[in-house]
Amino acid sequence: MRKQIAAANWKMNLGYQQGEKLLDEILAADIHLGLSQYVIFAVPFPYLIMTRSEVEEEKNYEVAAQNCYDQRSGAFTGEVSCEMLHSIGVNYCIVGHSERRQYFNESNKQLADKVGLCLEYFITPIFCCGEALSVRESGGQNDFVATQLKESLFHLSPEKIKDIIIAYEPVWAIGTGKTASTAQAQEMHAHIRSIIKGHYGQAIAEEVSILYGGSVKASNAKELFHCPDVDGGLVGGASLMSAEFIEIIRALKRNAKL
Ligand code: PGA
């Protein structure tokens, strides 16, 4: 049974007290998740311990880091290792968000190393992929995303790839208010699943959760989550507003795929 997930990506937003207040408001909605449904808060590093203790009592509410480093340890001032994340009970980490690829030049190879280290430390990577507008306009999105997956994930064994969460985030839809249509999202998600199937077989492909990211909000979550290959969302802007994110969690809950 693959996981259905509403993941909040706070990015570099909110002060500590604002973050606490937002979490309190969301948790006060007291939404009980189904067996394979999860809410994950990807918060800034300094808020991880606070967030973990806020969600501790809540079933299937989890915490994620937004990034990790591609080396085990050592003289890398300012970086955070998977071992550090593991040592404070962080079980998820976003890897390869398009903003990291764009502003910090993260390559598919470097992301393969990060994915490997995450798994070594029992951290589930939320691996982001997705094409820029120019790629979509030239019709190259399928090949582009296939290369991202192959170069960063396909070194993994079938047992390991099953546990990866993939987030398809078309770069042209992130923070722009533009959402991929449900048809565009479903088409790409089915494509991603078929690439995994080609490499690992049908049974494994069916187990991998594929989230959609890019201007998910309360008003479009229900429709997006309803697509057969969309297993939830990675939500930026709308995750910073409690009322919006609560509705997104409700949309996930209503869409339970049994
Ligand atoms: P957005 O961001 O929802 O603000 O478009 C999504 C993301 O970057 O994860």
Side-chain angles (χ1 to χ4, degrees):
M1 181 80 207
R2 59 188 190 238
K3 290 177 178 169
Q4 296 152 41
I5 298 163
N9 178 8
W10 288 6
K11 309 190 180 184
M12 200 177 73
N13 291 300
L14 304 177
Y16 187 86
Q17 285 78 11
Q18 290 171 303
E20 260 185 325
K21 181 167 173 282
L22 177 60
L23 286 170
D24 286 341
E25 287 169 3
I26 294 167
L27 297 174
D30 204 22
I31 305 172
H32 295 264
L33 302 166
L35 205 60
S36 55
Q37 297 184 319
Y38 292 82
V39 170
I40 302 176
F41 296 100
V43 302
F45 287 132
Y47 308 171
L48 283 168
I49 292 180
M50 173 273 287
T51 307
R52 201 207 51 206
S53 66
E54 285 264 348
V55 302
E56 209 149 44
E57 307 279 290
E58 314 284 337
K59 193 172 152 289
N60 292 6
Y61 284 72
E62 302 276 349
V63 50
Q66 297 175 10
N67 183 35
C68 60
Y69 198 45
D70 62 7
Q71 301 291 316
R72 230 168 265 279
S73 66
F76 302 105
T77 303
E79 293 297 337
V80 172
S81 71
C82 289
E83 185 182 9
M84 292 171 186
L85 295 174
H86 175 60
S87 71
I88 56 165
V90 172
N91 298 326
Y92 294 87
C93 182
I94 298 177
V95 173
H97 190 280
S98 65
E99 287 148 18
R100 305 274 337 156
R101 293 175 187 265
Q102 188 180 343
Y103 305 132
F104 302 92
N105 298 318
E106 295 191 356
S107 66
N108 291 344
K109 160 78 184 73
Q110 189 181 7
L111 297 175
D113 293 342
K114 291 191 180 194
V115 165
L117 278 171
C118 279
L119 292 170
E120 224 178 277
Y121 287 97
F122 310 101
I123 296 167
T124 301
I126 303 173
F127 177 80
C128 300
C129 58
E131 79 287 355
L133 185 59
S134 56
V135 176
R136 175 144 298 249
E137 281 175 346
S138 69
Q141 66 271 19
N142 283 2
D143 289 344
F144 186 86
V145 169
T147 302
Q148 288 181 319
L149 298 177
K150 280 181 193 148
E151 294 187 357
S152 298
L153 297 183
F154 284 7
H155 62 290
L156 299 173
S157 68
E159 292 68 43
K160 293 266 160 82
I161 191 106
K162 275 204 290 112
D163 295 330
I164 300 280
I165 297 164
I166 292 174
Y168 168 60
E169 301 207 304
V171 178
W172 46 271
I174 296 178
T176 58
K178 268 190 213 162
T179 321
S181 67
T182 46
Q184 283 172 321
Q186 170 55 29
E187 198 184 333
M188 178 57 87
H189 283 229
H191 171 64
I192 290 172
R193 212 177 291 289
S194 79
I195 303 167
I196 301 170
K197 180 179 160 191
H199 199 81
Y200 291 98
Q202 169 103 27
I204 301 279
E206 285 302 322
E207 296 232 4
V208 177
S209 298
I210 309 173
L211 315 183
Y212 170 79
S215 299
V216 175
K217 20 186 194 290
S219 59
N220 60 22
K222 186 164 175 255
E223 211 190 343
L224 283 162
F225 296 172
H226 199 61
C227 298
D229 285 296
V230 176
D231 304 307
L234 179 55
V235 188
S239 75
L240 300 171
M241 293 169 276
S242 55
E244 278 282 312
F245 197 60
I246 287 167
E247 279 315 305
I248 292 169
I249 301 172
R250 291 208 169 105
L252 185 86
K253 188 168 162 72
R254 278 196 296 268
N255 259 295
K257 291 168 183 150
L258 298 171

